[in-house]
Amino acid sequence: MTNRITTLSRSVADKVVVITGAASGMGRATAFLFADEGAKVAVTDLSRERVDAVVDRIRTAGGAAHGIVLDVTDADAIIGAVEEIRAELGPIDVVVNNAGLAVGGALEDPNFEDEWMRALDVLLTPHQRLVRACLDDLKASGEGRIINIASTEGITAQRGAMPYTAAKHGVVGLTRSMAVNLGVHGITVNAICPGPILTGITEDIPDDMRDTFARRRTALRRYGDPEEVAHLTLSLALPAASYITGAIIPVDGGLTAKND
Ligand code: NAI
């Protein structure tokens, strides 16, 4: 088709996107997808070696990326990382709060308090810190986008994961609140709720347990691939996604729809 009929842009070319926990799983798949689509990607995670591996892969494929070692529990490091990204790639248009880990914890566990604090420290508190650090850029962008990776645990609950579930419900609440507060600046804020996805977090679960869970709990009867989640992250970051905000969207193979 030589002349387009529609008006909104479906390109993230040259947009600057910062992704936390981008050396593995969904964060890495998201980094690869944005790079494939021409965005400039700030790859951040805990280890230099793993960050560099992702950056090298993107650059080898002809994409633009800058790697930063960032522990999201370190408030000062977040501010430093954002300054570095601005200097290396330019002002930030898209924030993807993705870093995470599995945190257990039944109320009876002696270390429940530690697990609780760890869940909030890694899975919730950093999200608002990174957004505050990027806020001037997101306002100036005109097409600022924030995508928070929550979980189906952000809308439902499994046994034995109370701190994780509470933190992920917090991410959902934070997403709605940020959407309401930042809409006036044209910034959209959405949460994705992945179901069972094959990543670093789930790789140690024995194959037969994974298989049984997926067959029993999901409509599609399988685990998802990280790229299947990255696809929605990219979609929410497009300029054309300008009227989607405050949405909490499952990417869960039908897990939250299923009741049989
Ligand atoms: P993953 O383990 O493959 O990737 C998570 C990344 O976060 C790792 O590279 C890890 O180093 C990084 N990370 C952990 N703590 C960090 C910290 N303090 N600072 C910076 N980076 C840190 O796991 P996955 O599954 O890709 O996790 C991404 C997000 O998806 C997490 O927020 C997780 O809670 C969420 N999620 C995962 C599901 C799954 O089935 N895999 C389901 C629902 C949500």
Side-chain angles (χ1 to χ4, degrees), residues 3-20:
N3 295 313
R4 293 188 63 89
I5 302 166
T6 54
T7 51
L8 297 175
S9 165
R10 284 167 190 80
S11 168
V12 290
D14 294 326
K15 297 271 184 196
V16 175
V17 52
V18 52
I19 306 169
T20 64

Side-chain angles (χ1 to χ4, degrees), residues 45-196:
D45 207 310
L46 290 173
S47 109
R48 170 54 62 194
E49 199 187 349
R50 291 165 59 237
V51 163
D52 285 350
V54 174
V55 170
D56 287 350
R57 180 91 189 273
I58 289 173
R59 289 187 181 154
T60 304
H66 178 71
I68 298 179
V69 175
L70 173 65
D71 181 339
V72 293
T73 64
D74 183 337
D76 292 337
I78 287 179
I79 291 167
V82 167
E83 282 167 3
E84 187 176 328
I85 294 163
R86 239 181 240 132
E88 292 291 330
L89 301 177
I92 292 150
D93 302 289
V94 182
V95 172
V96 182
N97 280 309
N98 165 81
L101 73 182
V103 188
L107 277 175
E108 297 81 3
D109 290 350
N111 62 343
F112 182 85
E113 186 70 26
D114 293 342
E115 295 294 281
W116 177 266
M117 294 314 296
R118 201 156 71 98
L120 298 185
D121 284 350
V122 178
L123 298 171
L124 179 58
T125 304
H127 297 39
Q128 52 82 11
R129 287 186 177 147
L130 181 57
V131 166
R132 283 192 293 121
C134 298
L135 199 52
D136 288 345
D137 289 359
L138 294 169
K139 285 179 182 174
S141 164
E143 291 171 340
R145 300 279 184 266
I146 299 164
I147 297 123
N148 296 323
I149 306 302
S151 168
T152 47
E153 287 295 299
I155 38 183
T156 59
Q158 274 188 303
R159 260 175 301 142
M162 200 177 284
Y164 186 86
T165 304
K168 291 297 190 180
H169 274 68
V171 173
V172 166
L174 181 69
T175 299
R176 291 196 174 111
S177 181
M178 277 185 179
V180 167
N181 282 285
L182 298 178
V184 66
H185 303 292
I187 300 170
T188 71
V189 191
N190 295 288
I192 297 177
C193 295

